[in-house]
């Protein structure tokens, strides 16, 4: 059987379309390729964005800001020493961009001016740290991206 060039072009198109459809169906049905938003409450967070901007501006007025360092025991977060650590309240949020299931949210409870996140809770890779804290009714916000 002899195939002319017109039939060959049609066969190539059919093969290409089949190839594309196979991958579209595979990507939509496989649970390993979940399609997640960055945050679940995107619109709710957007409404509170001005409060976040104000808290970041308050952080810029501090004489000494929060420091984050990787040490042997884990991730050490040091709050300003000129603030009374008993009056500091808030949350520490560790966001893992590659896997939503690894995100960690920890309430701040200090026994001194440092807070330690144990090494076994953190995997190697990129983390976005957001520390939302209040001191004497004033909100502060610290954001940093680190590679652990």
């Amino acid at each position: 059987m002899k195939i002319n060039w017109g039939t060959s072009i049609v066969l190539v198109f059919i093969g290409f379309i089949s190839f594309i459809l196979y991958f579209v169906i595979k990507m939509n049905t496989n649970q390993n390729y979940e399609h997640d938003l960055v945050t679940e409450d995107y619109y709710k967070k957007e409404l509170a964005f001005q409060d976040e901007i104000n808290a970041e501006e308050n952080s810029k007025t501090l004489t000494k800001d929060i420091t984050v360092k990787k040490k042997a025991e884990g991730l050490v977060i040091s709050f300003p020493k000129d603030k009374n650590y008993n009056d500091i309240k808030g949350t520490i949020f560790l966001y893992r961009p590659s896997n939503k299931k690894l995100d960690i949210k920890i309430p701040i409870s200090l026994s001194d001016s440092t807070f330690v996140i144990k090494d076994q809770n953190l995997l190697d890779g990129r983390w976005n740290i957001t520390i939302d804290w209040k001191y004497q009714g004033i909100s502060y916000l610290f954001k940093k991206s680190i590679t652990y």
Side-chain angles (χ1 to χ4, degrees):
M1 174 177 180
K2 190 172 184 179
I3 299 176
N4 64 13
W5 64 272
T7 307
S8 300
I9 290 174
V10 169
L11 290 175
V12 168
F13 277 132
I14 290 171
F16 178 72
I17 290 169
S18 300
F19 175 75
I20 295 297
L21 283 174
Y22 166 76
F23 279 108
V24 167
I25 291 169
K26 182 169 176 73
M27 294 295 286
N28 284 327
T29 58
N30 194 341
Q31 295 300 321
N32 292 334
Y33 306 112
E34 292 181 9
H35 306 290
D36 290 330
L37 294 172
V38 173
T39 59
E40 294 294 328
D41 300 327
Y42 175 78
Y43 294 108
K44 184 178 175 184
K45 284 189 79 162
E46 192 67 30
L47 292 174
F49 191 61
Q50 186 60 46
D51 295 334
E52 191 174 308
I53 292 171
N54 294 340
E56 282 185 277
E57 290 297 319
N58 290 340
S59 292
K60 291 178 183 176
T61 63
L62 293 172
T63 55
K64 186 174 182 196
D65 203 4
I66 293 175
T67 58
V68 178
K69 291 184 181 174
K70 180 181 177 184
K71 295 199 176 176
E73 63 268 14
L75 194 66
V76 178
I77 300 169
S78 300
F79 287 87
K81 294 192 187 296
D82 61 339
K83 307 286 185 206
N84 183 2
Y85 62 85
N86 291 321
D87 294 337
I88 295 175
K89 303 292 179 218
T91 57
I92 298 171
F93 182 65
L94 293 150
Y95 169 71
R96 179 70 180 227
S98 63
N99 189 347
K100 172 177 140 177
K101 295 174 182 132
L102 296 175
D103 293 353
I104 303 169
K105 189 172 189 176
I106 307 166
I108 298 172
S109 60
L110 301 173
S111 57
D112 62 356
S113 64
T114 60
F115 187 88
V116 178
I117 300 171
K118 302 283 185 208
D119 195 34
Q120 64 262 21
N121 294 337
L122 301 172
L123 295 174
D124 292 342
R126 181 171 174 226
W127 290 91
N128 294 341
I129 301 173
T130 304
I131 303 172
D132 185 14
W133 59 291
K134 283 188 177 186
Y135 180 75
Q136 295 179 344
I138 300 173
S139 296
Y140 299 95
L141 186 69
F142 174 82
K143 288 184 177 183
K144 185 173 185 179
S145 295
I146 62 164
T147 303
Y148 193 75

